Amino acid sequence: MKTKNAIILAAGKGTRMKSKLYKVLHQVAGKAMVDHVLTQLEANHMDNIVTVVGFGAENVEQALGERTKYAVQKQQLGTGHAVMQAADLLSDLDGQTLVISGDTPLFKAATLQKLVDYHTAKKASATVLTSIAPDPTGYGRLVRNDIGIVEKVVEQKDATPEEQAIDDINTGVYCIDNKTLFDALKLLSNDNAQGEYYLTDVIGILKKRGDIVAAYRMADFDESMGVNDRIALAKANEIMRNRINTHWMEEGVTLLDPKTTYIDSDVKIGSDTVIEGGVTIKGNTVIGTDCYISAHSDIINSIIHDEVKITSSTLEDSEMHTGSDIGPYSHLRPASEIGENVHIGNFVEVKKSFIDKGTKVGHLTYVGDATLGKNINIGCGVVFINYDGTSKHHTNIGDHAFIGSNSNLIAPVNIAEDSFVAAGSTITDDTNKFDMAIARARQTNKPDYAKKLPW
């Protein structure tokens, strides 16, 4: 049976990144570069994907998990040598193998599939994915004869001045018949300027023995960008974010200032949602329809249902249900769930709490480790005191309760439904239904005492 295989080359150290982080794990639009490559391959339903790892192998395996098989390149002896490491996993299989670098996060699944389809249609042994580069410096060049047939691929450092003038570049992606690939790899030599085994030399080997070698020229050069330093990383992020923003605008999302809107690649957004400039949406965030997100909001790994309004606030690993609103300048910390039509006003912090339908938390309040029922009013400056210096404790507030301004609720404590906490109280004991709890000293006025004060 013929198989569709892929090899991701991800063993390079990436010294030009000047980073402790393994190169292919640097992120573009919230996802590691190698993860972008793997995701596009998965979209084309490969039978086998092998990622060749070296330096930082454990970190790559942790990032990608069981979505791919792994081969280890212990010595960095070139791209041809890297592909050789996959021989034990792939060399006996019939079919085609796509070879791609793990530091090329901008390739699209559709482009890779076009390469495979072209390879099949030409009945070639190998097909090189090429593009016209505005500046080909640093890229391998595709050398053709007078009638356009591929002769060879030559690396920049081994190219003659005439070959360096060619702008048809090798993107580093190949589709090669699998057994042909591994047979040719056995014939590679490292007699070149780098002393390495070049995968590009496979093309020359196949040409020499008379095999058909084709080249498919892709339309968008930007897809082929390899990331070798921080400058290229910034450019890749710019291209990817523009691609993402364009997609969501085409899907019916309004971005008032796309140039300053940053949306990660795995985010989902419903139609008729409006997003102002300066907004960052990260991780696996899902946003419903008809939402409004104002400037300078940050949303991370959160679920936003329909008709939610977020005003200049930060949400982390939290959920807001339909019709709720928050802000400005409020913060949902992880494990917070805001119910339908709940109002979270300005300068409110919520952590690991559930707030049920219709409750209002107006301003200047901290809600931590709590469960709030329906239609509760939380006054200004209320503090849920959840930490005793050793352990966190929980507060429960029943439906229709009223918590007066500047109250302190010292957990663990239960405030019953329909009960009332007077403003300025420090509550340590549970209340019963319809109780009014008041915990503050009676006011005493000292006549003329203010005359003794220094001011």
Side-chain angles (χ1 to χ4, degrees):
M1 182 180 70
K2 290 191 174 183
T3 57
K4 293 171 61 179
N5 312 297
I7 299 173
I8 303 173
L9 305 182
K13 291 183 178 181
T15 54
R16 280 185 282 172
M17 297 295 288
K18 296 183 180 179
S19 174
K20 296 183 293 295
L21 184 64
Y22 189 39
K23 181 173 75 166
V24 298
L25 295 181
H26 281 268
Q27 292 196 346
V28 171
K31 182 185 288 189
M33 292 192 288
V34 69
D35 195 343
H36 278 290
V37 175
L38 178 57
T39 299
Q40 298 307 306
L41 291 171
E42 289 171 329
N44 286 339
H45 307 291
M46 295 292 177
D47 297 304
N48 300 287
I49 301 175
V50 178
T51 301
V52 181
V53 294
F55 177 79
E58 293 179 358
N59 294 328
V60 176
E61 292 181 26
Q62 184 178 3
L64 302 183
E66 297 181 358
R67 296 160 58 195
T68 172
K69 300 173 184 177
Y70 299 94
V72 179
Q73 185 186 23
K74 294 180 180 179
Q75 293 180 285
Q76 309 299 300
L77 300 177
T79 52
H81 180 260
V83 176
M84 292 177 195
Q85 309 315 303
D88 290 343
L89 295 170
L90 299 178
S91 62
D92 293 334
L93 300 177
D94 290 320
Q96 302 164 339
T97 293
L98 197 67
V99 182
I100 187 170
S101 175
D103 63 0
T104 54
L106 300 176
F107 278 114
K108 298 178 182 179
T111 299
L112 300 178
Q113 187 58 52
K114 288 176 182 178
L115 169 65
V116 173
D117 292 343
Y118 187 86
H119 173 83
T120 302
K122 293 297 182 181
K123 298 181 180 179
S125 291
T127 302
V128 184
L129 182 61
T130 77
S131 187
I132 300 299
D135 178 5
T137 304
Y139 290 93
R141 309 302 203 279
L142 192 76
V143 180
R144 303 173 187 261
N145 65 14
D146 294 339
I147 60 173
I149 295 175
V150 176
E151 291 289 340
K152 63 179 178 178
V153 176
V154 60
E155 297 293 337
Q156 167 87 23
K157 291 184 179 181
D158 298 310
T160 66
E162 292 78 12
E163 290 168 341
Q164 289 186 17
I166 297 171
D167 61 0
D168 194 5
I169 60 97
N170 172 25
T171 66
V173 181
Y174 309 86
C175 184
I176 308 177
D177 288 351
N178 191 64
K179 288 185 176 179
T180 297
L181 169 62
F182 287 100
D183 287 344
L185 288 172
K186 296 174 184 177
L187 304 176
L188 286 185
S189 166
N190 64 346
D191 183 17
N192 52 57
Q194 293 288 90
E196 295 181 347
Y197 296 92
Y198 291 152
L199 182 58
T200 51
D201 288 346
V202 166
I203 302 303
I205 291 170
L206 298 182
K207 286 292 297 183
K208 190 172 182 180
R209 76 181 197 185
D211 287 20
I212 297 174
V213 175
Y216 175 72
R217 183 179 293 166
M218 57 189 280
D220 184 3
F221 171 74
D222 284 344
E223 283 191 50
S224 68
M225 176 184 290
V227 176
N228 292 309
D229 56 31
R230 306 290 181 133
I231 298 168
L233 183 65
K235 182 64 175 177
N237 268 287
E238 179 185 353
I239 294 169
M240 182 66 81
R241 292 195 187 283
N242 182 63
R243 182 187 296 177
I244 292 168
N245 289 354
T246 299
H247 166 76
W248 288 119
M249 288 187 286
E250 290 173 344
E251 292 297 311
V253 176
T254 296
L255 303 183
L256 297 184
D257 187 2
K259 290 183 179 179
T260 63
T261 303
Y262 300 89
I263 303 172
D264 278 356
S265 58
D266 289 333
V267 170
K268 307 296 181 187
I269 308 174
S271 63
D272 289 319
T273 284
V274 177
I275 301 173
E276 294 183 354
V279 172
T280 301
I281 308 174
K282 298 181 179 179
N284 294 308
T285 294
V286 178
I287 299 175
T289 63
D290 298 293
C291 295
Y292 197 100
I293 303 171
S294 84
H296 312 302
S297 293
D298 293 321
I299 305 172
I300 306 164
N301 290 321
S302 295
I303 299 172
I304 312 300
H305 293 258
D306 300 340
E307 300 175 12
V308 170
K309 184 176 182 180
I310 299 169
T311 305
S312 302
S313 294
T314 298
L315 283 65
E316 305 174 76
D317 299 285
S318 294
E319 183 171 4
M320 294 187 68
H321 288 270
T322 300
S324 59
D325 68 275
I326 185 172
Y329 312 120
S330 290
H331 187 180
L332 298 186
R333 289 169 57 193
S336 297
E337 184 176 354
I338 308 304
E340 292 184 12
N341 301 312
V342 167
H343 169 63
I344 305 293
N346 56 308
F347 298 103
V348 174
E349 180 178 349
V350 181
K351 188 237 30 170
K352 199 177 180 181
S353 297
F354 171 70
I355 302 177
D356 210 344
K357 184 176 181 179
T359 289
K360 296 178 175 59
V361 185
H363 29 234
L364 299 165
T365 290
Y366 171 68
V367 182
D369 294 277
T371 299
L372 281 64
K374 298 179 178 66
N375 299 309
I376 296 167
N377 186 83
I378 305 293
C380 176
V382 173
V383 179
F384 286 64
I385 300 170
N386 55 330
Y387 185 52
D388 63 8
T390 303
S391 302
K392 298 290 181 70
H393 300 283
H394 202 80
T395 296
N396 295 296
I397 302 181
D399 297 346
H400 309 289
F402 185 99
I403 310 299
S405 295
N406 202 36
S407 294
N408 299 311
L409 308 179
I410 301 181
V413 69
N414 298 293
I415 307 300
E417 61 182 311
D418 296 301
S419 61
F420 189 104
V421 173
S425 295
T426 296
I427 303 298
T428 59
D429 299 325
D430 294 352
T431 69
N432 296 313
K433 187 173 182 178
F434 299 126
D435 280 355
M436 185 185 82
I438 181 168
R440 63 191 185 211
R442 288 189 176 274
Q443 181 174 331
T444 300
N445 294 338
K446 302 289 185 179
D448 297 323
Y449 192 87
K451 295 178 180 179
K452 301 177 183 180
L453 299 177
W455 48 268

